[in-house]
DNA sequence: TATAAGCTTATTGTATGCAATATTGCATAC
DNA sequence: GTATGCAATATTGCATACAATAAGCTTATA
C-alpha cells in the first residue's frame, strides 16, 4: 500500500482553499495523527503522550496539543484534564448508534442526490462504479477501498448540501477505524458491489425513496459485517 | 435576563462527568466565547484578536488559542493561518442548507422518539409542553426560548441515540445566532406552540412518520421566520 | 499482611518570549 | 491619479520554562 501524499482534510470539512498553502505544524501533526488513527496504526484505547509524540514528530508540545484538541473535537480521541488523551474506544452500543446515524445520513445524501445530481455528476458516479467492477475482478480490498470512498463521496456531493457533506464525512471518518476490516470478510466485495449497483440505478432513475432505502441497507450491512468480524454477534 | 451559571456544554456533547470538576482556563474561556457568540454579543464576521481577548479575560494566549480552536471545530468561528479568527458568517445559501439538515436531524429524532421514548420521558415532554402553554399567555419570548430548548432536547434524548443527540445539538448551537430573533416576529410564539402540539401528539401516538413530518415542518418554519426577519425573502 | 496517608515523580496546563508571516503605509513608477 | 513594490508594523505560530495536578511508590500503622 502506497503512502498517502496528504493527510485527512481540514477539520471542518474540506475548505477548498487553493490547498497548496504552507501548512502549520499543528495541521501537519493533526493530519498524521488522524491518518494513524483512521487506518489503525493507533488503536482505540491507546494513550497519546504529549512529550513523547511531540519529540517523535520533531515539534514542540504547543502545536501537538492543538492537534490533539482538534482530534478530540472530531471524536477521534478523548481527553480529560491532566490525563493523556486516548484514542476513542466507543462502546459496542455507541458504535451501533453511530452506524445507525451514518445509515440515515447517507440515505439522506442518496435521496437528495437522486433529486439533484447534475448530469456530469451522474456520469462521474457511473464511471467510478465501472472502476469498482474492474477492481472487483482482481479481488484487491485495499484498492477497492479507495474507490469505494470516492463512490460514497460522489453521492454526498450530489446532495448539493455542503453542511450535509461535512457531517457525513465527519461521521464516516469517525467510524473508519471500525469499518476497516469489512472488506476482509468473505465475499463482502462482491456483495458491496451489488448493493452499489442498486443505489446507482435508483439515483439515476431519480427515485429518491429507493435510493435512500438502498443506501440505508448498504450501510447497515457494513455494520453487520463489522460486528461479525469483531465477534459481537 | 439573568446571567447563566455555566457555559455551553462540553464540546463533544455533554459528557456527564460528575461535572463539578475544576475547569481549565481553556474550558472557561471557550464557554464564555461560545455563549457570547450564540447569544449574539459577538456578531458574525467580527474578528477575535488573541492578545486583546486574552488580556480582557485575564489569561495568557495559550489557553485562549486552544479555546478558539475548539470553537472553530464547532463551526462557531473560522480560522486561517496567520489571520485572526472571525465569528462564522455563513452565506445565505449555506445557512439554508444547514436549516435543511437541521430539519432532517430533528425529524429523525422525532421519528425515533415516537418509537422509543420511555413512559417517563413522554410524561416529561408533556410537562414541558404544558409549561410552554403557560408562558405563551405571558408573551415572554426569552422565557419561552429557554423552555423551547428543553422541549427539543427532550425529543432528542427520546431517540435513545447519543450520537444523534450530539450532532443535532451541535447543529442547533451552530444555528443559534441565526434563530435568536425568530420569536420576535409577530405571532411566532403562538404558531410555534401549535406546531409543538402536533409533534407531541404524533410522538405520544407512536406515529413515527407523522412525528417526523410535523417536526420537519416546524423547523423549516423557523427558517422561514428567520429569513423573513433578516430580509432575505 | 493489608491499608491508608503522605511524599515523589511524571505528565499535563499555562505563561512568556521569540520567530514567522500577513497587513498596512509609503514611496515610486507608469 | 492609480497601481505596484518594498519597508515597517502588528499579529499569529511555535518553543521553552514553570506551575499545577494526578498517578505511583514508600512507609507507617492496624
Amino acid at each position: 500500500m502506497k503512502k498517502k501524499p496528504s493527510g485527512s482534510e481540514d477539520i471542518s470539512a474540506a475548505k477548498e482553499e487553493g490547498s497548496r498553502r504552507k501548512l502549520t505544524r499543528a495541521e501537519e501533526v493533526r493530519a498524521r495523527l488522524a491518518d494513524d488513527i483512521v487506518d489503525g496504526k493507533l488503536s482505540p484505547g491507546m494513550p497519546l503522550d504529549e512529550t513523547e509524540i511531540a519529540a517523535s514528530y520533531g515539534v514542540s508540545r504547543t502545536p501537538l496539543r492543538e492537534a490533539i484538541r482538534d482530534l478530540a473535537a472530531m471524536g477521534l480521541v478523548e481527553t480529560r484534564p491532566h490525563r493523556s488523551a486516548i484514542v476513542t474506544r466507543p462502546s459496542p452500543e455507541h458504535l451501533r448508534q453511530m452506524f445507525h446515524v451514518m445509515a440515515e445520513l447517507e440515505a439522506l445524501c442518496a435521496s437528495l442526490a437522486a433529486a439533484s445530481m447534475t448530469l456530469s455528476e451522474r456520469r462521474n458516479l457511473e464511471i467510478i462504479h465501472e472502476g469498482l467492477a474492474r477492481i472487483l475482478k482482481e479481488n484487491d480490498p485495499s484498492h477497492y477501498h479507495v474507490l469505494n470512498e470516492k463512490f460514497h463521496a460522489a453521492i454526498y456531493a450530489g446532495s448539493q448540501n455542503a453542511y450535509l457533506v461535512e457531517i457525513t464525512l465527519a461521521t464516516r471518518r469517525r467510524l473508519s477505524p471500525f469499518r476497516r476490516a469489512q472488506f476482509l470478510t468473505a465475499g463482502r466485495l462482491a456483495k458491496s458491489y451489488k448493493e452499489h449497483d442498486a443505489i446507482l440505478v435508483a439515483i439515476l432513475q431519480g427515485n429518491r425513496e429507493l435510493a435512500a432505502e438502498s443506501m440505508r441497507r448498504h450501510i447497515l450491512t457494513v455494520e453487520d459485517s463489522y460486528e461479525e468480524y469483531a465477534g459481537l454477534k
Side-chain angles (χ1 to χ4, degrees), chain A residues 75-111:
Chain A
L76 290 178
V77 307
E78 290 170 1
T79 64
R80 288 162 59 194
H82 296 287
R83 311 279 171 82
S84 297
I86 63 167
V87 179
T88 301
R89 182 165 51 186
S91 68
E93 172 57 20
H94 196 239
L95 217 41
R96 248 190 299 276
Q97 294 176 355
M98 290 182 69
F99 268 111
H100 192 165
V101 172
M102 183 78 209
E104 292 299 330
L105 289 174
E106 295 232 19
L108 179 57
C109 288
S111 169

Side-chain angles (χ1 to χ4, degrees), chain A residues 194-231:
Chain A
K194 279 181 73 176
E195 291 160 11
H196 278 197
D197 203 66
I199 295 165
L200 178 68
V201 168
I203 288 177
L204 294 182
Q205 287 176 346
N207 188 333
R208 292 188 54 170
E209 204 37 65
L210 185 59
E213 186 52 29
S214 307
M215 180 62 93
R216 198 173 352 243
R217 277 232 181 73
H218 175 54
I219 302 297
L220 293 178
T221 304
V222 171
E223 183 201 355
D224 275 354
S225 173
Y226 163 74
E227 295 197 337
E228 191 178 330
Y229 173 85

Side-chain angles (χ1 to χ4, degrees), chain A residues 7 14 22-23 28-29 33 47-48 53 55 61 70 95 125 133 170 172 174-175 191 203 213 216 227-228:
Chain A
K22 189 180 173 189
L23 292 141
E28 288 174 13
V29 170
L33 282 173
L48 304 177
I53 296 178
R61 281 178 53 224
D70 291 350
L95 217 41
L125 190 63
R172 189 177 188 85
R174 221 161 135 168
L175 281 172
K191 275 188 219 151
I203 288 177
E213 186 52 29
R216 198 173 352 243
E227 295 197 337
E228 191 178 330

Side-chain angles (χ1 to χ4, degrees), chain A residues 33-55:
Chain A
L33 282 173
D35 285 344
D36 285 352
I37 292 171
V38 164
D39 46 60
K41 284 172 200 140
L42 295 172
S43 311
M46 186 174 292
L48 304 177
D49 183 299
E50 293 182 2
T51 308
E52 184 186 330
I53 296 178

